Amino acid sequence: FIPIMLLLACTAFASAYTGGCRGTLPHNGNAMSSSANIWSCNAKPLGLPRTKAPVALFETIGPQEIGVGVVVATLFAGIAAGIGPTTVVPLLLILLSGDPDEREASGKGNSQAVKTIIENYTPSAWKKAYFGDNEVPRGEDGAPKLLDLPAWQGEEARSLVEPEAVANVQSMQLEPIGVPSVGDVDTCFISVRPEKPLEAPPVILIHGFDSSVLEFRYIVPQLVSAGLRVEAMEWWSGGFTARRPFLDKLTQDSTCTPWGLICEHQLAFWRRQLDGQKAIVVGASLGGAVAMDFAVSHPECVEALVLMDAGGESYAQPDPFLTAVAADPVVNLFQWRANNGLLPYPHVWSKEEGWRQTLRAYLKSGGYQRRVNPELIKQVPQETLVLWGEDDDVLPIEDAAKYERDLPNCVGVQFIPEAQHAPALENPDFVAKQIIDFALKIGTDQQLQSI
């Protein structure tokens, strides 16, 4: 068993490192749609090369570390080579089974050796998230100075050093927002107004699963500098927003669903921040499914949509039944990554109360597959721009064509050069320009309609 797994691991690392198999859809960073000549730009991605230096791998690795490393490597390979996530569920069940709370208490899988392996094969934009910028203020001991942040942001966030991450986390606010089915929820968000606003709707950014508004730290300054108002909250499962009120409601009321409560929360946030003003809603990864659900459920709130490598046509998970079955092993994998500093963006909320329990509750529900699918996508009424990393290593690039087919008012599909599944991190200049140009178009259309 172990030799076979090691062979899979080697194949996985090679596949992930070289980029793996890509979609066959023709793309050159140009718009797919013949019905709309979407905008071009010459923005360049971040110049952050991958690390290629060799590393000693096997001096401190035991069977448990090998097992976890194999699971991570197999996940990478399955995604890169187009193998469905169903394939890796048995491995997860074998190697990472057990109650997440008990497993965390036992300290299983805390391995510096496996962390070193993964760090050496981390894509460049994510590597920057892990390691930050060395040109930061340091104390006498040489360590970066800790940030002065409110207690609710925890100790992990105080150690951030990357300038964009520091600016983002310092702009966060925490306020109670009333959610009808739940009550007041302490909600973390950013709200930034430009000095010279454009004649365009405000922009709401919706992050992906177990992520944060830190995901947008490179593009927010550009959007605001261009004259766009930006609002973004950390929805349930992500960032510093309180998780317990949602967990308690889901436990007490079996008729409630995560997506129903998330949609209520988005509506309450929109009412609080924009007070009736329609917005352009940008959804990234699973945030795309959140955005589409919100747009269909509350069209009075949404002027237009931007979907960026969005879940909906497919998901980076097996069907809802297997997702529920694999919930505990997947949570254990997330916890292992958190323990070893291998969660992206950077990930500074894994010690928040209810983090593991929230991941488990979401996965046990089967996830957004139960709500957002091609049938719901066909009901999205707003004009929608689809952005897609041309080397997406999580969702199939063919999904972009499916969105163009199924969305009633798709204005076009724009492939993002030199980007994978997190374009806002990997090629932020290009992404920001697409959003700005789309917002200008929507604003111009509104002015023409008012004449």
Side-chain angles (χ1 to χ4, degrees):
F1 179 80
I2 292 297
I4 293 173
M5 293 299 98
L6 285 173
L7 178 61
L8 278 173
C10 293
T11 304
F13 283 134
S15 178
Y17 184 70
T18 58
C21 299
R22 304 299 181 197
T24 57
L25 211 62
H27 58 283
N28 299 298
N30 298 319
M32 260 178 56
S33 174
S34 59
S35 61
N37 184 17
I38 304 299
W39 317 270
S40 61
C41 77
N42 297 316
K44 294 181 179 179
L46 295 172
L48 300 168
R50 295 174 188 248
T51 296
K52 296 184 179 180
V55 60
L57 300 182
F58 300 109
E59 292 180 2
T60 59
I61 300 181
Q64 180 66 29
E65 287 78 8
I66 290 175
V68 175
V70 166
V71 170
V72 176
T74 306
L75 284 169
F76 286 171
I79 292 168
I83 299 171
T86 303
T87 308
V88 300
V89 170
L91 274 178
L92 289 172
L93 293 174
I94 293 169
L95 296 170
L96 289 171
S97 60
D99 180 85
D101 292 338
E102 294 177 1
R103 186 181 178 89
E104 170 62 6
S106 73
K108 289 182 178 179
N110 297 339
S111 169
Q112 179 60 42
V114 177
K115 177 180 177 181
T116 301
I117 295 172
I118 303 303
E119 284 173 351
N120 274 264
Y121 291 91
T122 297
S124 59
W126 289 32
K127 186 178 293 293
K128 185 176 182 183
Y130 298 150
F131 300 121
D133 189 333
N134 286 325
E135 300 301 321
V136 296
R138 295 179 180 274
E140 293 181 359
D141 60 356
K145 291 184 178 180
L146 296 179
L147 301 177
D148 183 14
L149 296 173
W152 59 265
Q153 289 181 311
E155 288 300 309
E156 297 287 317
R158 296 186 65 208
S159 63
L160 290 173
V161 294
E162 183 195 72
E164 298 93 338
V166 170
N168 185 285
V169 78
Q170 289 177 334
S171 72
M172 292 178 180
Q173 305 175 52
L174 187 75
E175 297 289 346
I177 293 181
V179 180
S181 296
V182 176
D184 284 349
V185 177
D186 286 338
T187 303
C188 180
F189 63 94
I190 61 171
S191 176
V192 192
R193 296 171 182 252
E195 292 183 3
K196 298 179 180 180
L198 289 176
E199 291 292 332
V203 174
I204 293 178
L205 302 174
I206 302 181
H207 63 72
F209 178 64
D210 188 39
S211 184
S212 162
V213 296
L214 278 162
E215 180 178 343
F216 302 116
R217 65 187 182 274
Y218 299 150
I219 67 170
V220 168
Q222 297 188 56
L223 300 181
V224 175
S225 295
L228 295 174
R229 177 178 176 179
V230 174
E231 304 285 342
M233 81 166 191
E234 296 183 329
W235 55 274
W236 186 65
S237 88
F240 298 105
T241 289
R243 294 162 172 79
R244 180 54 57 187
F246 295 96
L247 282 169
D248 290 345
K249 183 63 177 178
L250 290 168
T251 300
Q252 297 162 6
D253 187 349
S254 61
T255 65
C256 283
T257 62
W259 44 93
L261 296 180
I262 292 166
C263 192
E264 277 191 43
H265 197 189
Q266 289 287 346
L267 178 61
F269 178 70
W270 173 81
R271 285 174 172 162
R272 183 188 191 278
Q273 297 302 109
L274 298 180
D275 192 27
Q277 185 180 9
K278 283 189 170 184
I280 297 172
V281 178
V282 180
S285 190
L286 190 63
V290 177
M292 286 184 280
D293 186 20
F294 185 56
V296 170
S297 301
H298 298 286
E300 73 279 8
C301 306
V302 182
E303 185 67 40
L305 279 179
V306 179
L307 302 177
M308 185 162 55
D309 295 75
E313 292 287 359
S314 70
Y315 292 86
Q317 62 188 71
D319 64 54
F321 172 77
L322 285 177
T323 294
V325 168
D328 284 348
V330 170
V331 172
N332 290 335
L333 176 62
F334 271 69
Q335 183 66 66
W336 172 84
R337 293 172 66 201
N339 291 348
N340 287 282
L342 295 172
L343 287 168
Y345 299 132
H347 199 290
V348 293
W349 53 91
S350 60
K351 293 183 180 178
E352 292 294 296
E353 194 271 329
W355 175 67
R356 285 195 311 278
Q357 295 84 350
T358 290
L359 298 182
R360 185 178 187 273
Y362 173 80
L363 294 168
K364 282 290 186 184
S365 75
Y368 264 93
Q369 290 183 92
R370 296 194 184 277
R371 170 62 179 165
V372 179
N373 50 43
E375 292 308 309
L376 183 136
I377 293 168
K378 293 173 183 176
Q379 300 173 41
V380 174
Q382 295 87 356
E383 286 188 50
T384 305
L385 170 65
V386 177
L387 303 178
W388 211 270
E390 65 178 11
D391 292 317
D392 192 325
D393 53 347
V394 174
L395 294 176
I397 199 169
E398 288 83 1
D399 280 5
K402 293 178 182 178
Y403 278 115
E404 186 177 43
R405 177 196 68 199
D406 291 340
L407 286 164
N409 290 299
C410 180
V411 300
V413 174
Q414 177 69 54
F415 288 103
I416 305 168
E418 299 185 58
Q420 296 180 325
H421 189 66
L425 290 174
E426 296 152 345
N427 198 344
D429 292 347
F430 193 96
V431 169
K433 188 174 192 309
Q434 301 306 308
I435 296 172
I436 292 165
D437 287 351
F438 185 57
L440 284 170
K441 173 187 178 299
I442 297 298
T444 300
D445 290 347
Q446 287 179 328
Q447 293 176 52
L448 291 174
Q449 291 171 7
S450 65
I451 296 175

